[in-house]
């Protein structure tokens, strides 16, 4: 066969069976193989340098397989990764200290067991579970509307048998997303209030309804579990709501209510104790952290609504110092 002359003399090619073969791909494969070999060597070197490739152990295993090694246990690696060492100081290290606050004296919430230290300054946290306890109804409060309608809502799925010609449907919204449905039955023998205390949308399985304890259309006391409503397990007992109606509220299609369960604690500042109360009156929902605080600053055993009831975020002057309290659970 006549030899074919390639137009590029540096790249020899041959014609075999009508197909042109070029030796360049073989050179490229050899170059790729060399590059892979170099990468493998680099990786092995890095593993050995970092201590992750114990060559002594690999050699031991190889000698065991060939029958050249008689030792019963493998040699320990001569290259270990050492843990960082701390410099040795000439003497004992004193503990870290926190500078004392000198702007105001320390404040303590006192309990029957032991007072709880609280750092003085702006935004002082006062813990309900550690410093307050239920004491009943001690401070006068303001009632709030409790609207009703003439038709049942989504929470009134099962109803008890009624005696009156008309029923009023509503719900009591408390903290933590808890709502209690109620129905006021206008029984001519006396209005009755049914409340879904177990919150199962069934108002027929909650025991006897509340009966009228007042002189108007209706007035009664509803007791709910305080720990469940407030979300504070340390608060024992019941949360008491006084629910009633007036002629004006009836015209406004609502009842009225307020929370009778209040919390009491003591603030200790410069050796002096101040009686403090949480009333759940600004937002009557069982959450005592969003209603501010009342403090008997003059020590006369009473709370003045104008000077001693403080909304959330208000500053309080006690013994010549300015404080701002933050109520927490």
């Amino acid at each position: 066969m006549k030899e074919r002359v390639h137009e590029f003399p540096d790249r020899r090619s041959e014609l075999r069976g009508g197909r042109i073969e070029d030796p360049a791909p073989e050179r490229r494969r050899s170059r790729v193989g060399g590059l892979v070999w170099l990468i493998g060597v680099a990786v092995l070197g890095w593993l050995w340098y970092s201590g992750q490739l114990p060559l002594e152990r690999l050699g031991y295993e190889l000698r065991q397989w060939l029958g050249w090694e008689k030792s019963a246990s493998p040699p320990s690696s001569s290259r270990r990764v050492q843990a960082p060492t701390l410099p040795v100081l000439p003497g004992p290290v004193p503990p870290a200290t926190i500078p004392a606050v000198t702007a105001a004296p320390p404040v303590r919430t006192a309990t029957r067991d032991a007072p709880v230290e609280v750092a003085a300054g702006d935004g002082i946290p006062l813990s309900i579970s550690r410093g307050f306890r239920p004491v009943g109804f001690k401070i006068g409060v303001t009632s709030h509307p409790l609207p009703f309608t003439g038709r049942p809502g989504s929470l009134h799925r099962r109803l008890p048998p009624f005696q009156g010609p008309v029923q009023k449907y509503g719900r009591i919204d408390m903290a933590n997303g808890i709502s209690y449905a109620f129905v006021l039955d206008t029984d001519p023998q006396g209005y009755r209030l049914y409340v879904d205390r177990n919150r199962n949308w069934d108002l027929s399985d909650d025991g006897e309804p509340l009966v009228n304890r007042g002189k108007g259309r209706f007035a009664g006391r509803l007791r709910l579990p305080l720990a469940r409503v407030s979300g504070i397990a340390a608060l024992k007992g019941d949360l008491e709501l006084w629910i009633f109606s007036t002629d004006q509220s009836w015209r406004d299609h609502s009842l009225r209510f307020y929370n009778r369960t209040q919390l009491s604690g003591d603030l200790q500042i410069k050796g002096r104790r101040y009686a403090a109360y949480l009333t759940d009156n600004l937002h009557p929902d069982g959450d005592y952290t969003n209603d501010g605080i009342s403090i008997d600053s003059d020590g006369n055993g009473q709370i003045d609504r104008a000077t001693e009831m403080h909304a959330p975020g208000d500053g309080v002057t006690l013994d010549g110092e300015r404080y701002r309290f933050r109520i927490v659970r």
Side-chain angles (χ1 to χ4, degrees), residues 9-30:
D10 294 336
R11 298 179 59 186
R12 297 177 58 252
S13 62
E14 296 180 357
L15 183 62
R16 297 179 180 177
R19 181 169 58 89
I20 298 178
E21 296 184 355
D22 192 344
E26 297 181 359
R27 291 196 297 268
R28 284 196 295 269
R29 284 195 295 269
S30 64

Side-chain angles (χ1 to χ4, degrees), residues 3 8 32 38 50 94 104 128 135 143 159 163 174 176 181 183 197 222 227 236 245 249 259 266 289 300 307 321:
E3 180 179 2
F8 299 101
V32 172
L38 289 176
S50 61
I128 294 177
V135 292
S143 64
L159 302 174
Q163 303 299 323
M174 307 302 288
N176 305 311
V183 179
R197 293 183 177 90
L222 173 63
K236 307 301 182 182
S245 68
S249 70
N259 186 354
D266 292 328
T289 66
N300 66 349
T307 61
E321 299 289 347

Side-chain angles (χ1 to χ4, degrees), residues 268-283:
Q268 184 168 319
I269 302 175
K270 294 183 179 180
R272 180 180 175 183
R273 289 196 175 192
Y274 298 86
Y277 298 91
L278 305 178
T279 61
D280 188 38
N281 185 48
L282 185 61
H283 305 284

Side-chain angles (χ1 to χ4, degrees), residues 109 134-135 154 177 258 271 305:
T109 55
V135 292
S154 60
Y258 58 84
R305 296 176 64 88

Side-chain angles (χ1 to χ4, degrees), residues 20 41 56 71 75 163 202 230 239 300 304:
I20 298 178
V41 171
E56 292 85 354
S71 174
Q163 303 299 323
D202 184 355
S230 65
L239 181 144
N300 66 349
D304 185 273

Side-chain angles (χ1 to χ4, degrees), residues 165-176:
V166 177
Q167 288 75 44
K168 303 298 183 180
Y169 301 86
R171 70 183 194 182
I172 306 171
D173 293 325
M174 307 302 288
N176 305 311

Side-chain angles (χ1 to χ4, degrees), residues 66-135:
L66 295 175
W68 298 349
E69 182 66 48
K70 303 300 182 180
S71 174
S73 60
S76 60
S77 176
S78 60
R79 186 178 185 84
R80 300 178 181 270
V81 180
Q82 297 183 353
T85 58
L86 299 176
V88 180
L89 299 179
V93 180
T97 58
I98 301 175
V101 179
T102 58
V107 178
R108 296 186 295 180
T109 55
T111 63
R112 294 180 178 179
D113 299 330
V116 180
E117 293 288 345
V118 181
D122 192 27
I124 303 171
L126 298 180
S127 171
I128 294 177
S129 59
R130 300 183 63 183
F132 291 85
R133 62 187 182 277
V135 292

